Amino acid sequence: MRWILILAFLPMPLFARTGLIQKFDHQFHETKVFSQNKIKCSDCHNLEESRDQKMTPLEALARTTFKKSIKQICHDCHQGEKFPTAPKACYTCHDTQDRMLNIKPLNHQNAVWKSQHATQARADSSQCVNCHSVNQCSKCHSARNPVTNTNHSRNYKYFHSIEARMSPQKCDTCHNKSYCVRCHLGGVK
């Protein structure tokens, strides 16, 4: 409960600036995480803790509550190797569409990203799985939009045999043999 005393020192506009702070359960972390892992208030906050656990505000506290950005503080535990049992999933905190959009990578904000991400995904899919599951990839890539034809170019239906012969495993990512048979026997238009 020593964290309640800190609130008197904190510049509230800085403390409450982000919605993620409202999501953060300090009391849970205090009882289940901080004490067990010997994490002191001064590890994150601009405070100095004496041996008798008295808190003294540092000069920087007048400007900002935290020693690092909130992102860095959270990621030190939730993305790093320091605490392997800490939840790593982004949606633990970024649990709304707005909060997810706040962390959307800059390259995803490019207008052509959706149609041109394949090269980067093939080069380093480890970056993709930081936010996306393989199921999400399959779900998106198997969803066919007959109007925009988002998975293949408009004429793909007429020229796909070349690619299918060169690299049939690419087709298997989204399609199975029964799909091909149905289409080639006239079942899919």
Side-chain angles (χ1 to χ4, degrees), residues 49-113:
E49 192 171 347
S50 64
R51 289 180 193 216
D52 58 354
Q53 293 191 325
K54 288 186 180 174
M55 299 291 168
T56 307
L58 297 173
E59 192 175 314
L61 187 62
R63 292 184 309 280
T64 181
T65 304
F66 303 104
K67 289 184 173 179
K68 305 179 210 173
S69 71
I70 292 172
K71 175 183 176 181
Q72 187 60 49
I73 290 170
C74 295
H75 286 195
D76 281 352
C77 296
H78 290 277
Q79 296 299 314
E81 302 297 320
K82 193 174 183 181
F83 300 102
T85 59
K88 306 288 188 227
C90 299
Y91 56 79
T92 302
C93 292
H94 300 277
D95 59 348
T96 65
Q97 176 127 8
D98 288 343
R99 288 181 181 157
M100 286 303 281
L101 289 174
N102 287 340
I103 61 170
K104 188 176 186 178
L106 291 176
N107 63 2
H108 285 49
Q109 296 171 26
N110 182 329
V112 295
W113 173 254

